[in-house]
Amino acid sequence: MSRVSRRRALTLAGVGAAGLAGAAALTQVDNEPELTAAAAATDAVAFTGANQAGIVTPAQDRLHFVAFDVITKDRERLIKLLRDWTAAAARMTAGRDAGTIGAVNGIPEAPPDDTGEAIGLPPSGLTITVGFGPTLFRDAAGKDRFGLAAHLPQALEPLPKFTGDTIDDTISGGDIAIQACANDPQVAVHAIRNLARIGMGAVSVRWSQLGFGRTSSTTTGQATPRNLFGFKDGTRNLKAEETDLLREHLWVQAGDGPDWLTGGSYLVTRKIRMLIETWDRSPLAEQEMIIGRTKGTGAPMGMTGEFDEVDFDSVGADGQPLLATTSHVRLAHPHTNNNARMLRRGYNYVDGSDGLGRLNAGLFFIAYQRDPRKAFIPVQRSLAANDEMNEYVRHVSTGIFACPPGITGTDDFWGSALFGQ
Amino acid sequence: MSRVSRRRALTLAGVGAAGLAGAAALTQVDNEPELTAAAAATDAVAFTGANQAGIVTPAQDRLHFVAFDVITKDRERLIKLLRDWTAAAARMTAGRDAGTIGAVNGIPEAPPDDTGEAIGLPPSGLTITVGFGPTLFRDAAGKDRFGLAAHLPQALEPLPKFTGDTIDDTISGGDIAIQACANDPQVAVHAIRNLARIGMGAVSVRWSQLGFGRTSSTTTGQATPRNLFGFKDGTRNLKAEETDLLREHLWVQAGDGPDWLTGGSYLVTRKIRMLIETWDRSPLAEQEMIIGRTKGTGAPMGMTGEFDEVDFDSVGADGQPLLATTSHVRLAHPHTNNNARMLRRGYNYVDGSDGLGRLNAGLFFIAYQRDPRKAFIPVQRSLAANDEMNEYVRHVSTGIFACPPGITGTDDFWGSALFGQ
């Protein structure tokens, strides 16, 4: 039935220039999102709730991620944008247009309030998730840009430089990040494009990234997908059903920091280029040693099933551990990291080729967590120092964002508590 | 059952390092493709036939297109590559691995003959279509590189420069193009990546492009998709069922040129960047005038249904034609172009953002035709000179390739007739 909404918009808008007044009736469409759970890949995911959708939501197939710089200096303009974005996100996630496709308030000279490429497409599991970067609170010179500096969470610091990092600042950071996930790339792209359109004059796109193919499974019902190394990735991920673990490792709890972030989560992004051609020339046995799992089944080395417990101790006939001490599975495992856990939600990417005859491809890593100082940062320090996989990857982009809790009322908007409204 | 093939490969390869000898049995898998028609989005499309698949095949949802430079100077090495590619394409389109995932011929030190990221995924409608560029026949200095110059079709000339072209040579042209289309991007990417891997040392990736969302419908059963201008695109496309028209406009006929190309087709590619933000600020009425169709239903201006005949003659109350003389529909219509027709098969693309706060997005235009001198070239000349849409688009990449006929026997390979084998 959300599906019907966008189809109806189509019919109304379809009368074209001759019927603009009729299409204007669409401005009356209720902004209240529908609280339907996604049953099929084409269905809608509920937009409202205690936490934002798009975090423990079963991972959709496609990603369009964008980071914006805020270019307005006006706090009220920024608040209005966040209100407008929230309303548009509520509509689009329910399978509606971002705004009227016909004339805006009956004015035929106005540009459409929806760009149109998703007309007729179902909601497709679209989720839109927002996060605030440290630079929204304080600029590089330490200046309080929007009266928010007092609300900066201690944990929201730019990530440190890790050993081997080759970060490109122009595709890193940003004041506001928006993650759109959907089972149809046209729906995800439509969402980001319309939010960018709504933000014209207030924000500017800093960088954006498309991704495909789930590299993480976030519910127990989903098969573990494969990354572009050809290996299953995310077998031991946090799952939506593990409520106690989510409370402990994913959601910011009361008392963790400023109140506005309670029920939220920290988002870490890393664009990890894979040296595909080099990897493809390495023997299977070496690939499996580096990962610490077999390529076929995804079983930890020395075991037979994907979900078998990792065996850290057994040694082979040669006296060496079956699970190499430098293997990715060993180094990234909670066992090796003070039980640190994250909810990973990354996507494969291919950005064409690099002009040197190589595919420009890899993993756009996305992880949500309660506190990056206890999760991503120590785990990545260990990986950066010891992981054999480093020979085949380059971290080229980095980002950290504080994602506020979910939208809970009709007048609520993204960051309402942060702005004291 | 093609689906079963890749699943079985998974089981065999899944035994990991301990069972490499067993996995080697996979080298015995029959290379003969299965002649199943695609019924569902996950099914296999037949690889063999009089014409190549991926041209009139119902347009799949995702594209990975690559253009290679041939770096070997050895004609026999090139022929071997085309043989190996054909065999791998037959396997992958049937839902199999590109080669053995385990040890190659029992040698555990060898890299796997399949990169693994499509293990467990169904065939997903994968088609792999090959074309040869003019530079394969003669280099820029006119030198006959592989003894093929005598077989160069007259129509296979680099496209002329059109008014307004802003072509980037580094993402244009190429000696050999391969179009992989599938309903799962991971399957399309897997195909191109494995062909590139197989070609190491003989070819180098010149450029590649990902696309999503059909912008053209190639069978009458498919709804017309929307491009990133938000308009339906491809309403009047050639359809797979129009056999007589395909003979007249799509397939190279005996006597058209060299025999090796009979049953083939000419492929034209154009990467058309859309100035999304500028377009999104223009009024609906102006957008519809430029396109010549209504945004909602896709009806030609002055008509009510998408498939209504275009009305070139009617004028409005203001005495002006309802269908503007500079509208895209009028200028591109066969009526205006000596009945020129092409089979369009383009895809939307978003390559992130451009560093200036704008989405780097548009249409990767793909068209197949019997003779570009009677189809793409005159139509594009007319559009380049008069189309109001030019204000909102930039052509940044160009390519032309001669696609040989289909694979018809077990010993056949791409270009066999061209190489006289």
Side-chain angles (χ1 to χ4, degrees):
Chain A
M1 107 249 89
S2 312
R3 187 183 307 198
V4 173
S5 307
R6 190 142 51 192
R7 293 234 167 101
R8 198 184 45 179
L10 163 68
T11 313
L12 286 171
V15 295
L20 290 170
L26 276 173
T27 51
Q28 304 307 320
V29 168
D30 186 3
N31 266 348
E32 177 80 347
E34 292 152 20
L35 291 166
T36 48
T42 51
D43 281 358
V45 173
F47 179 64
T48 55
N51 313 118
Q52 286 195 70
I55 301 176
V56 295
T57 303
Q60 302 96 324
D61 284 355
R62 315 288 174 244
L63 167 78
H64 192 180
F65 192 98
V66 66
F68 291 104
D69 288 329
V70 178
I71 56 176
T72 182
K73 294 180 176 174
D74 180 351
R75 177 183 163 109
E76 294 310 312
R77 177 78 183 83
L78 177 58
I79 291 172
K80 179 175 186 308
L81 174 63
L82 291 166
R83 283 190 184 278
D84 291 347
W85 269 355
T86 306
R91 292 173 68 110
M92 292 191 288
T93 52
R96 297 196 182 113
D97 46 353
T100 53
I101 292 170
V104 178
N105 300 319
I107 307 166
E109 291 75 20
D113 260 359
D114 183 279
T115 54
E117 71 271 24
I119 295 174
L121 299 178
S124 308
L126 175 68
T127 55
I128 304 176
T129 312
V130 73
F132 303 124
T135 50
L136 185 70
F137 297 80
R138 282 196 306 227
D139 68 15
K143 190 183 160 210
D144 184 356
R145 299 171 65 192
F146 300 104
L148 299 174
H151 306 292
L152 175 67
Q154 279 196 343
L156 190 64
E157 285 293 322
L159 293 173
K161 185 179 189 312
F162 298 98
T163 306
D165 270 6
T166 53
I167 301 297
D168 178 349
D169 286 335
T170 65
I171 54 168
S172 296
D175 297 330
I176 303 179
I178 299 184
Q179 166 198 286
C181 298
N183 294 312
D184 183 331
Q186 186 120 339
V187 169
V189 163
H190 171 262
I192 294 299
R193 182 228 193 130
N194 277 275
L195 296 175
R197 182 184 53 73
I198 291 168
M200 273 182 202
V203 293
S204 172
V205 173
R206 181 176 173 85
W207 55 274
S208 84
Q209 181 66 51
L210 263 72
F212 64 88
R214 306 173 308 269
T215 58
S216 319
S217 53
T218 52
T219 56
T220 47
Q222 291 183 296
T224 313
R226 290 174 185 274
N227 61 27
L228 292 182
F229 282 147
F231 279 78
K232 293 196 178 194
D233 191 353
T235 299
R236 285 283 160 189
N237 205 3
L238 276 180
K239 299 288 195 292
E241 297 84 355
E242 301 173 318
T243 319
D244 290 349
L245 289 175
L246 297 183
R247 199 177 302 120
E248 187 180 345
H249 296 287
L250 179 63
W251 303 120
V252 175
Q253 302 295 314
D256 282 357
D259 283 347
W260 70 266
L261 192 54
T262 302
S265 193
Y266 290 92
L267 161 62
V268 165
T269 64
R270 305 282 287 185
K271 184 170 179 174
I272 305 174
R273 167 103 187 248
M274 292 174 169
L275 306 183
I276 296 283
E277 292 76 12
T278 315
W279 180 258
D280 286 351
R281 274 184 296 231
S282 66
L284 178 63
E286 185 179 328
Q287 293 183 4
E288 293 183 330
M289 192 190 70
I290 290 169
I291 301 287
R293 291 186 181 275
T294 57
K295 196 159 192 172
T297 60
M301 295 306 282
M303 312 303 287
T304 53
E306 180 193 346
F307 294 97
D308 289 352
E309 288 294 334
V310 174
D311 177 354
F312 294 95
D313 305 320
S314 294
V315 294
D318 57 359
Q320 295 298 310
L322 288 178
L323 184 72
T325 54
T326 54
S327 71
H328 187 74
V329 160
R330 182 187 287 269
L331 291 169
H333 198 281
H335 174 88
T336 324
N337 293 281
N338 278 322
N339 195 33
R341 307 218 33 194
M342 301 170 259
L343 185 131
R344 280 166 290 143
R345 212 174 193 289
Y347 287 83
N348 300 331
Y349 76 87
V350 178
D351 293 349
S353 44
D354 69 357
L356 297 170
R358 301 177 305 199
L359 289 176
N360 189 352
L363 172 68
F364 188 72
F365 173 93
I366 294 176
Y368 290 92
Q369 59 222 282
R370 181 176 170 188
D371 188 340
R373 298 168 300 184
K374 296 178 182 163
F376 179 78
I377 294 173
V379 173
Q380 181 55 26
R381 265 210 185 102
S382 163
L383 290 172
N386 302 304
D387 193 353
E388 290 264 14
M389 196 194 284
N390 293 330
E391 192 180 332
Y392 301 93
V393 298
R394 298 287 178 269
H395 287 237
V396 296
S397 149
T398 184
I400 184 168
F401 306 93
C403 302
I407 298 294
T408 52
T410 50
D411 198 41
D412 196 9
F413 66 94
W414 284 333
S416 54
L418 170 61
F419 287 92
Q421 310 233 334
Chain B
M1 75 159 264
S2 309
R3 187 183 306 200
V4 172
S5 306
R6 190 142 53 192
R7 291 234 167 100
R8 196 184 45 177
L10 162 70
T11 312
L12 287 171
V15 297
L20 290 170
L26 278 172
T27 51
Q28 304 307 321
V29 169
D30 186 2
N31 267 349
E32 178 81 347
E34 292 151 20
L35 291 166
T36 49
T42 50
D43 281 358
V45 173
F47 179 64
T48 54
N51 313 118
Q52 285 195 71
I55 300 175
V56 296
T57 304
Q60 303 95 324
D61 284 356
R62 316 286 173 245
L63 167 78
H64 194 181
F65 191 99
V66 67
F68 291 102
D69 289 329
V70 177
I71 55 176
T72 182
K73 294 179 177 175
D74 179 351
R75 177 183 162 108
E76 294 309 314
R77 177 77 183 85
L78 176 58
I79 290 173
K80 178 175 187 310
L81 173 63
L82 290 166
R83 284 191 184 277
D84 291 346
W85 270 354
T86 306
R91 294 173 67 110
M92 293 192 287
T93 52
R96 299 195 180 113
D97 47 354
T100 52
I101 293 170
V104 178
N105 299 322
I107 306 167
E109 291 76 20
D113 261 357
D114 182 280
T115 55
E117 70 271 25
I119 295 174
L121 299 178
S124 308
L126 175 67
T127 55
I128 304 176
T129 313
V130 73
F132 303 125
T135 49
L136 185 70
F137 298 80
R138 283 196 305 228
D139 69 13
K143 189 183 162 212
D144 184 357
R145 300 171 65 190
F146 300 103
L148 299 174
H151 305 292
L152 174 67
Q154 279 197 342
L156 190 64
E157 284 294 321
L159 294 173
K161 186 179 188 313
F162 298 98
T163 306
D165 270 6
T166 54
I167 301 297
D168 178 350
D169 286 337
T170 64
I171 54 169
S172 295
D175 297 331
I176 303 179
I178 300 184
Q179 166 198 285
C181 297
N183 293 312
D184 183 330
Q186 186 120 340
V187 169
V189 164
H190 171 262
I192 294 298
R193 183 231 193 125
N194 278 276
L195 296 176
R197 181 184 54 72
I198 291 168
M200 273 183 202
V203 293
S204 172
V205 173
R206 181 176 174 85
W207 54 274
S208 84
Q209 181 66 50
L210 263 72
F212 64 88
R214 306 173 309 267
T215 58
S216 318
S217 53
T218 51
T219 57
T220 46
Q222 290 184 299
T224 313
R226 291 174 185 274
N227 62 27
L228 292 183
F229 282 148
F231 279 78
K232 292 195 178 193
D233 192 353
T235 299
R236 284 284 161 188
N237 205 2
L238 277 180
K239 301 286 194 294
E241 297 84 355
E242 301 172 319
T243 318
D244 289 349
L245 290 175
L246 298 184
R247 199 178 303 120
E248 187 180 346
H249 296 289
L250 179 64
W251 303 120
V252 174
Q253 302 294 315
D256 282 357
D259 284 346
W260 70 266
L261 192 54
T262 301
S265 192
Y266 291 92
L267 161 61
V268 166
T269 65
R270 304 283 287 185
K271 184 170 179 174
I272 306 174
R273 166 104 187 247
M274 292 175 170
L275 306 182
I276 296 283
E277 293 75 12
T278 314
W279 180 258
D280 286 351
R281 277 185 294 231
S282 66
L284 178 62
E286 185 179 326
Q287 292 184 5
E288 293 183 331
M289 192 189 71
I290 290 168
I291 301 288
R293 292 187 181 274
T294 58
K295 196 159 194 173
T297 60
M301 294 307 281
M303 312 304 285
T304 53
E306 180 193 346
F307 294 96
D308 288 352
E309 286 295 334
V310 173
D311 177 355
F312 294 96
D313 305 319
S314 293
V315 294
D318 58 359
Q320 295 298 311
L322 288 177
L323 184 70
T325 53
T326 54
S327 71
H328 186 75
V329 161
R330 183 187 287 268
L331 292 168
H333 198 281
H335 174 90
T336 324
N337 292 282
N338 279 322
N339 196 33
R341 306 212 41 188
M342 301 170 259
L343 184 131
R344 281 165 290 144
R345 214 175 191 289
Y347 287 83
N348 300 330
Y349 76 85
V350 177
D351 292 349
S353 44
D354 69 358
L356 297 170
R358 301 177 305 200
L359 289 176
N360 189 351
L363 172 68
F364 187 72
F365 173 93
I366 293 175
Y368 289 91
Q369 59 222 279
R370 180 177 171 186
D371 188 340
R373 297 168 300 184
K374 296 177 182 165
F376 179 78
I377 293 173
V379 173
Q380 181 56 24
R381 265 210 186 103
S382 164
L383 290 172
N386 301 304
D387 193 352
E388 289 265 13
M389 197 196 284
N390 293 330
E391 193 181 330
Y392 301 94
V393 298
R394 298 288 178 270
H395 287 237
V396 296
S397 150
T398 184
I400 185 167
F401 306 93
C403 302
I407 297 295
T408 51
T410 49
D411 198 43
D412 197 10
F413 67 94
W414 284 332
S416 54
L418 170 61
F419 287 91
Q421 309 234 333

